[in-house]
Amino acid sequence: MKKYIFISPLLLCLLSLYSCYDDSSTLATNNIGNITFTEKQSELYVGSMEELTLTPDIQIAEGTNTNALTYEWALTETPVTSSSSYNFEYEIISTDPQLNYIVERPVSTSPYTLLLTITDTVHDNLQYTKYWKIYVQSTFLDGLLISDTQNGTTSDLTLINNQAFTVNYNKDEQIFRNILTSLNGQPFNGLMQTLVYEVMGYGSSIQTNQVWTILGDATLARFNCLDYTQNGQFEDQSLIIDKPNGLQVLSAFQSHNNFYINTSNNLYTLTPSTVNRFSSPAGALSSYKANNNVIAYSPNTGHVSNSLSGADQQHLTFYDKERAAFITCNGSGQFMQVKSFDANNNFDPNKLPNQTAISAVVFEDMSQIVFLMKDDTNGTYSIYTFSRYIGEEGRYDGDNWIVTSPSQPASARNKYTIPSEGTALLDKAISIFFSNRNLLLYVTTTDGIYTINYGAGSTATVSTTAKYTPQSGEIITKAKMYQQGLYNYNCDLIVGDNPTVPQTEWNNKAIIVTTQSSEYEGKVHIIPITQVASGTLDPSKAKTYDGFGKILDVTTTGY
């Protein structure tokens, strides 16, 4: 139920000056009547989508018929500022003596106005009022973010905060469901098929945690994690400046100190420490094309003081089918240098025709680059590993440069053939991903999660016994490695030589799995890995969340 309330200029002034007269009656005298507000607190702070509980401190005169008192709590729809008009639309949120209300208002530095009206129905409906300033703060910490749809047209976001997914979290688990509907009155018009966490700015005081989402029509949107307001859309130039007609966004990722989108018009890049929208495709890569949208990218070490930093450390690797070759790029953004790999006796990365890239990874310590490839001629699969390019290191002695470590070329390493039992699994897989710490490939089908080990000999070892199977009546729809949000932003913050952010217990030690029992009945499972070398999972210790429609994607956020 909504009404319009007129707040006079005098009252607005009093509110802005923290009026000492926080309570009144219709006779405009604080102590006339049977009720007196004794509470002096006039400002309250609450998290968006958290419960506001308030029992007013009042004195009721002896002999007053308390059954004849009615209560009405009302909260303005929008924040009240000095420039606001004097007509405020507010919502009646409760008629109980104690207020228990889930605050569904956007985060704001300006306060909302909470009004309590107590009416004495046996004394000519005499009314007593009390005002509070309500400051709504962000409740959305780092955690697990899920997008789902209930109708195949619109979608919404759910955030889960708990001690397993949220750094330094000591409260009970909180699940914020349908955030966009709760705050905006309606879900997002489109399907958020892919979620990618990213940080704009440098330094905690000026950075913005945000989530980019690739939509079902291959366009792009972006949300501010502070309050999940949309802060970028595909239709204008808030996300991409040079945007040809028909541009399709295929994937998004952060590598080193750059953020990328792979599109039908090639790769775009931006430096999020200073820029929050893409300009034009990376010129150095304009004549190359990543096959099947598979790109191996270096760990996200975004600060120049970190041990893994430096232009030589940043690299992208992909397979270009027209060239029948693997391409590696070093450098930053528009200044990337394209390089080729040196061949060895195991294989020649520059002469591999008729291949399709399936999955890829760069190890956390950047010790190797790994690709899963499918041979188009016979349908077999192989795993290829590479060493990255490393620039020379040295020091100056006066004007002379002294080389202490010579440069190392990007080069081929090993090839591992996957036997027929692995081919059978890979042909029906719905999710395929590598571990970035162990010599392990995860293969997910609708009815189970399997592993393939590589690294010994020339043939990979396939585990044909599922590490996990869904419950009866459910099918698996997606799986990926659980990685902490800030780890994906800058892994050095978590696992570098001088980490500054605690690592969550399950970072790189759990699998995110989504299942569906029907089109619009979905669950999210986080299943811990008990043996990292073999990929053994322990479903008995999994965290499972239901109540979703068709789950589109799951990611992790930072704070």
Side-chain angles (χ1 to χ4, degrees), residues 263-303:
T263 76
S264 55
N265 193 35
N266 221 306
L267 278 166
Y268 288 68
T269 179
L270 62 81
T271 304
S273 60
T274 56
V275 179
N276 208 23
R277 59 178 177 171
F278 297 95
S279 55
S280 58
L285 303 176
S286 60
S287 61
Y288 299 88
K289 184 175 180 61
N291 174 245
N292 203 29
N293 193 32
V294 175
I295 301 172
Y297 47 90
S298 55
N300 315 320
T301 54
H303 296 260

Side-chain angles (χ1 to χ4, degrees), residues 147-157 180-181 186-192 520 550 552:
S147 62
D148 74 321
T149 178
Q150 301 287 345
N151 53 24
T153 302
T154 61
S155 54
D156 215 321
L157 297 171
L180 303 183
T181 298
Q186 59 185 3
F188 179 77
N189 185 24
L191 298 180
M192 294 180 280
Y520 296 113
K550 182 179 181 180
L552 303 175

Side-chain angles (χ1 to χ4, degrees), residues 81-133:
T81 65
S82 58
S83 60
S84 301
S85 65
Y86 299 132
N87 290 312
F88 299 104
E89 185 178 3
Y90 75 96
E91 178 185 5
I92 297 175
I93 57 176
S94 178
T95 55
D96 296 324
Q98 175 177 295
L99 178 63
N100 296 284
Y101 172 67
I102 302 298
V103 178
E104 296 180 345
R105 295 289 190 273
V107 173
S108 176
T109 55
S110 297
Y112 297 81
T113 297
L114 175 67
L115 167 64
L116 170 61
T117 302
I118 302 176
T119 302
D120 188 344
T121 59
V122 298
H123 291 92
D124 296 324
N125 291 320
L126 185 64
Q127 292 186 328
Y128 307 84
T129 58
K130 167 74 177 178
Y131 294 90
W132 290 265
K133 291 180 178 182

Side-chain angles (χ1 to χ4, degrees), residues 129-149:
T129 58
K130 167 74 177 178
Y131 294 90
W132 290 265
K133 291 180 178 182
I134 305 297
Y135 289 89
V136 179
Q137 301 174 317
S138 178
T139 316
F140 307 127
L141 305 175
D142 49 321
L144 203 67
L145 187 68
I146 302 102
S147 62
D148 74 321
T149 178

Side-chain angles (χ1 to χ4, degrees), residues 308-328:
L308 296 180
S309 293
D312 289 341
Q313 312 288 23
Q314 176 169 312
H315 57 275
L316 307 179
T317 302
F318 55 86
Y319 176 72
D320 189 315
K321 197 160 193 170
E322 291 186 3
R323 287 178 165 79
F326 282 93
I327 305 299
T328 186

Side-chain angles (χ1 to χ4, degrees), residues 385-447:
T385 65
F386 307 82
S387 296
R388 64 184 176 89
Y389 167 79
I390 301 177
E392 71 174 26
E393 297 179 3
R395 59 180 174 80
Y396 278 102
D397 183 4
D399 294 333
N400 298 319
W401 172 252
I402 308 298
V403 177
T404 58
S405 178
S407 64
Q408 301 176 35
S411 61
R413 293 183 64 173
N414 297 299
K415 174 184 176 181
Y416 305 95
T417 302
I418 295 179
S420 58
E421 58 267 30
T423 300
L425 290 173
L426 289 164
D427 279 345
K428 62 178 182 178
I430 56 166
S431 293
I432 302 170
F433 56 95
F434 285 97
S435 166
N436 71 343
R437 291 180 176 177
N438 301 98
L439 303 174
L440 194 64
L441 175 69
Y442 289 88
V443 181
T444 306
T445 67
T446 57
D447 57 6

